[in-house]
Amino acid sequence: MPAEWTGQRLPLFTDGPVEGWVVEHSSRADGRVAEARAVGGTQITLRYALGGSRADSPFVALARRLDTPPVGYEALLFEARASRPMRISAQLRERDGANPRRWRRSVFLDPGNRRVVLPLLLIMRKPIIPSS
């Protein structure tokens, strides 16, 4: 997390083993999460493969469960890069309920490191409710 961030912090990964992170994927896709050594510590890596057709809606997601809702926090911050240009979906989801709400923002990544700051008020303005 950037040292200059002055808001309340809840680190989800801090230089160490990849604990609490899981990979979610569709039936026609697969993914693996691991830690990788980097200058100054470790990073989370996600490797994935998508199969099937667009109609199959293949996906792979890196997910982390929060024990408490992000009440009192101002933003979701992360640094990321991709091996080639792509869009990812950063999401917050309710974990309970038959039809939990989901909030998301699209983020562009490429091979350069990118610091992403997603204000929670902006993300959570319009919940996306999945269809049953």
Side-chain angles (χ1 to χ4, degrees):
M1 183 164 316
E4 67 273 10
W5 183 257
T6 58
Q8 187 175 353
R9 298 172 182 224
L10 175 65
L12 299 179
F13 178 76
T14 308
D15 189 31
V18 180
E19 295 175 350
W21 292 91
V22 296
V23 174
E24 300 173 350
H25 59 85
S26 61
S27 62
R28 303 291 303 235
D30 198 9
R32 297 284 182 264
V33 63
E35 64 185 68
R37 293 180 196 197
V39 175
T42 57
Q43 300 174 344
I44 294 175
T45 62
L46 174 66
R47 295 187 184 272
Y48 67 92
L50 301 176
S53 68
R54 286 184 184 220
D56 295 323
S57 299
F59 73 89
V60 173
L62 179 61
R64 171 75 190 259
R65 183 181 197 130
L66 296 178
D67 292 328
T68 58
V71 175
Y73 295 93
E74 298 173 15
L76 174 63
L77 290 90
F78 60 93
E79 290 185 14
R81 68 176 183 262
S83 59
R84 64 180 191 270
M86 68 176 65
R87 286 210 162 269
I88 65 166
S89 177
Q91 300 184 14
L92 296 174
R93 298 180 290 184
E94 289 180 333
R95 66 176 172 207
D96 298 323
N99 203 15
R101 291 181 297 174
R102 174 183 310 229
W103 297 268
R104 71 178 178 201
R105 281 310 236 195
S106 177
V107 176
F108 176 79
L109 298 177
D110 62 20
N113 280 340
R114 175 152 186 232
R115 180 175 290 170
V116 179
V117 179
L118 300 174
L120 292 180
L121 288 176
L122 182 63
I123 296 172
M124 300 177 88
R125 186 178 306 153
K126 295 181 186 175
I128 298 164
I129 301 173
S131 57
S132 308

